Amino acid sequence: MRSLLVVAAFSLFLACGKDREIGLSNQPISAQMRAVSIRVQHTSVNIGDRVDVMLPDSTVVLGNVEVSNLARVDSHVDIALFIVPPEDAERLVAVSKPSGFRLRSTSIN
């Protein structure tokens, strides 16, 4: 299951990254973590920012997670990649909606 999730996440992520350069990390993902990509409303956050992942109704699904990578799909949609514990990856998949998620920056400037 883990390898299928990782392959699916990277396949989707790479397929959607035509307009924004993709630089996947050379660091291996530990056995305790999972890579998961999700569809998000176009965002102004950057790779490395910490964000809350929210449903369109502003319900927070995951809080204060680091954006591992972003890919632009079109002017309204991005694909965001996160490296998270298995239970967080499962939570994202379980509540995923066709409309995607919203990201809210938790970075303090």
Side-chain angles (χ1 to χ4, degrees), residues 3-105:
S3 61
L4 179 61
L5 179 61
V6 171
V7 169
F10 281 122
S11 296
L12 176 62
F13 186 73
L14 292 172
C16 296
K18 297 175 185 155
D19 295 324
R20 193 181 283 184
E21 185 175 326
I22 297 174
L24 295 176
S25 172
N26 290 332
Q27 297 178 349
I29 300 169
S30 75
Q32 295 78 30
M33 303 296 275
R34 303 294 183 265
V36 63
S37 58
I38 59 170
R39 178 184 172 109
V40 297
Q41 296 173 5
H42 176 63
T43 181
S44 60
V45 302
N46 296 302
I47 296 168
D49 285 354
R50 299 199 70 81
V51 298
D52 291 336
V53 179
M54 303 181 306
L55 294 173
D57 69 1
S58 298
T59 301
V60 175
V61 179
L62 292 180
N64 197 31
V65 293
E66 183 177 349
V67 177
S68 295
N69 218 327
L70 287 169
R72 171 73 38 87
V73 175
D74 61 34
S75 61
H76 301 289
V77 177
D78 291 339
I79 300 294
L81 178 72
F82 300 95
I83 309 299
V84 294
E87 41 296 334
D88 289 348
E90 290 173 12
R91 184 178 312 137
L92 283 173
V93 171
V95 300
S96 182
K97 306 267 187 232
S99 58
F101 294 91
R102 292 177 44 223
L103 301 180
R104 176 178 60 198
S105 178

